């Protein structure tokens, strides 16, 4: 593979790096790093939402971040998700204050009537909220858990992870969505505390890391930017498209190249092209039936596509079974 030219330097893209320290509730304390936040309301009466310091860039294809629950607080009412930024609105010649930071709503609980869009996965009950709609989604989460949020702006898809395990598609973004979203976390639990990871540290979710590839890649530029493009696309859409093209050319010359099949399959997986990813992973497993990386990816994709028997069949083949495999199997087995 030849070196790929970046259209937009990574350092020039404004993207979330910490919590917003200027526009937040008096019941919120943010540490000097801007990453750790504590909720201090003594009565648990007010739901408070804290946003990131920047919205997700409009150029994004995909975006991923993780929240570590340092302390679930008194009742565990913490919500992880995304929200819009609210301003005062003029309705019927009256100014209505729409303060999404200091109201009684948790992420995703605002109604469609307000022309807003927000989503949130809540720890106290495992429910998922989307613009006022609510339904059961995943397991509850608590102190020590790491919750990840993945948004795909091309396929209009949102899913969450818990401790590195994909919980499946939560909802779809509106088809005509062109708004701006901020990563956010909501609190209504005295003593609740979390820490955000926007990519400075290795993610718990293995798909958003270089697992299985970093030691095998001979492309310096690809290796340098792999970690970054997995959680924020920004100006890197062209880079991924070009990289897929280079891998495809290589596979045309040598169809059984294991690394190229693995790498292209993973990229297809990351960007939500699941049918194409399955095709590459299946070809790879025909060559290497015990390839752990391919079994993990294919098992996870089948789970997301609700083909649970096929997913379990792949997970059973992974030996030795690591923690991810065991926990993923438990999750799928109860469905």
């Amino acid at each position: 593979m030849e070196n790929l030219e970046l259209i937009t330097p990574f350092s020039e893209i404004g993207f979330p790096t910490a919590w917003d320290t200027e526009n937040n509730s008096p019941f919120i304390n943010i540490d000097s790093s801007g990453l750790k936040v504590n909720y201090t309301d003594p009565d648990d009466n007010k739901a408070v939402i804290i946003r990131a310091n920047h919205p997700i860039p409009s150029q994004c294809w995909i975006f991923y971040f993780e929240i570590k629950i340092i302390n679930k607080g008194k009742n565990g009412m913490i919500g992880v998700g995304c929200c819009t930024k609210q301003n005062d609105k003029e309705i019927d010649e009256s100014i209505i204050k729409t303060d999404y930071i200091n109201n009684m709503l948790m992420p995703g609980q605002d109604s469609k009537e307000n022309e807003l869009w927000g989503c949130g996965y809540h720890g106290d009950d495992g429910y998922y909220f989307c613009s006022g709609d609510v339904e059961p989604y995943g397991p509850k989460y608590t102190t020590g858990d790491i919750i990840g949020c993945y948004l795909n702006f091309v396929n209009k898809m949102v899913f969450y992870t818990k401790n590195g395990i994909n919980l499946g598609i939560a909802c779809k973004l509106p088809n005509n969505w062109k708004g701006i979203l901020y990563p956010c976390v909501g609190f209504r639990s005295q003593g609740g505390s979390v820490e955000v990871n926007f990519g400075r540290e290795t993610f718990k979710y293995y798909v958003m890391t270089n697992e299985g590839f970093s030691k095998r890649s001979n492309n310096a530029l690809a290796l340098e930017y792999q970690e970054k493009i997995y959680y924020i696309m920004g100006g890197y859409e062209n880079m991924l498209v070009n990289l897929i093209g280079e891998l495809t050319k290589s596979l045309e010359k040598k169809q059984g190249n294991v690394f190229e099949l693995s790498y292209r399959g993973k990229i297809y997986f990351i960007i939500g092209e699941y049918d194409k990813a399955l095709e590459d992973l299946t070809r790879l497993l025909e060559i290497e039936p015990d390839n752990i990386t391919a079994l993990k990816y294919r098992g996870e994709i089948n789970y997301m596509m609700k083909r649970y028997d096929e997913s379990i069949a792949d997970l059973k083949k992974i030996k030795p079974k690591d923690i991810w495999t065991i926990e993923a199997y438990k999750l799928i087995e109860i469905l």
Side-chain angles (χ1 to χ4, degrees):
M1 293 182 292
E2 299 175 357
N3 285 347
L4 305 175
E5 181 180 358
L6 293 178
I7 305 302
T8 305
F10 184 77
S11 60
E12 294 181 9
I13 301 174
F15 61 94
T17 56
W19 296 119
D20 183 351
T21 59
E22 296 182 0
N23 302 300
N24 56 64
S25 164
F27 298 114
I28 288 292
N29 289 330
I30 302 174
D31 77 343
S32 58
S33 72
L35 304 176
K36 295 181 181 178
V37 58
N38 300 306
Y39 174 73
T40 61
D41 183 0
D43 299 318
D44 292 330
N45 285 332
K46 293 184 176 66
V48 173
I49 288 180
I50 178 80
R51 290 192 310 256
N53 57 356
H54 297 290
I56 300 170
S58 59
Q59 309 100 311
C60 268
W61 184 345
I62 60 171
F63 188 88
Y64 180 79
F65 67 97
E66 290 183 341
I67 300 288
K68 181 176 182 180
I69 312 302
I70 298 175
N71 190 330
K72 74 177 183 63
K74 183 179 178 180
N75 56 36
M77 294 182 69
I78 296 175
V80 176
C82 292
C83 66
T84 55
K85 182 177 182 179
Q86 298 309 305
N87 299 305
D88 293 347
K89 291 185 177 181
E90 185 174 344
I91 302 178
D92 296 332
E93 299 181 351
S94 300
I95 299 296
I96 298 177
K97 187 71 173 177
T98 57
D99 187 351
Y100 200 43
I101 305 266
N102 301 302
N103 60 22
M104 297 294 290
L105 302 175
M106 292 282 281
Q109 291 183 338
D110 211 23
S111 67
K112 295 182 179 70
E113 286 72 19
N114 291 332
E115 298 180 355
L116 307 173
W117 193 91
C119 63
Y121 169 34
H122 294 195
D124 60 311
D125 54 16
Y127 278 54
Y128 181 79
F129 292 77
C130 179
S131 293
D133 294 334
V134 57
E135 59 182 53
Y137 174 62
K140 299 177 182 180
Y141 56 86
T142 187
T143 302
D145 287 329
I146 296 176
I147 304 302
C149 181
Y150 167 101
L151 295 97
N152 186 315
F153 292 94
V154 174
N155 294 346
K156 310 296 184 183
M157 177 178 64
V158 180
F159 71 72
Y160 285 83
T161 64
K162 177 185 176 185
N163 299 327
I165 307 300
N166 190 326
L167 301 178
I169 297 173
C171 75
K172 294 282 188 175
L173 287 161
N175 288 330
N176 59 349
W177 176 255
K178 295 182 181 179
I180 294 176
L181 290 177
Y182 289 76
C184 71
V185 63
F187 295 93
R188 198 175 177 184
S189 181
Q190 181 184 351
S193 178
V194 305
E195 181 176 10
V196 66
N197 177 15
F198 287 123
R200 293 182 180 180
E201 304 294 333
T202 300
F203 289 121
K204 183 71 173 178
Y205 183 38
Y206 75 101
V207 175
M208 298 296 164
T209 72
N210 288 329
E211 180 179 308
F213 297 99
S214 59
K215 294 181 180 179
R216 302 175 66 178
S217 176
N218 58 4
N219 184 300
L221 186 60
L223 178 58
E224 179 181 356
Y225 285 96
Q226 276 171 359
E227 200 77 31
K228 297 173 183 177
I229 61 177
Y230 290 160
Y231 72 94
I232 178 169
M233 278 300 303
Y236 295 93
E237 179 177 350
N238 287 334
M239 180 179 179
L240 276 188
V241 171
N242 290 341
L243 187 52
I244 289 173
E246 293 293 330
L247 292 167
T248 300
K249 289 179 181 178
S250 180
L251 285 167
E252 288 174 351
K253 298 176 181 177
K254 187 178 180 181
Q255 296 184 3
N257 192 310
V258 171
F259 173 70
E260 270 76 359
L261 282 172
S262 299
Y263 201 179
R264 192 175 69 173
K266 178 168 183 172
I267 294 174
Y268 280 141
F269 183 21
I270 291 169
I271 64 178
E273 297 285 348
Y274 297 132
D275 289 334
K276 293 179 180 178
L278 280 174
E279 184 178 344
D280 279 351
L281 296 171
T282 299
R283 285 175 58 190
L284 173 55
L285 287 168
E286 290 172 354
I287 301 168
E288 293 185 356
D290 298 325
N291 188 295
I292 293 177
T293 299
L295 288 169
K296 279 186 176 182
Y297 292 154
R298 197 172 72 170
E300 186 169 333
I301 293 171
N302 278 322
Y303 163 68
M304 294 183 71
M305 300 177 77
K306 298 184 179 181
R307 297 199 290 245
Y308 302 126
D309 291 340
E310 291 90 336
S311 180
I312 287 176
D314 280 338
L315 296 181
K316 282 183 175 180
K317 295 175 184 177
I318 297 176
K319 296 178 181 180
K321 288 181 170 48
D322 55 14
I323 295 176
W324 181 90
T325 305
I326 294 171
E327 292 303 317
Y329 187 87
K330 289 179 181 178
L331 176 66
I332 299 169
E333 196 175 30
I334 64 176
L335 296 174

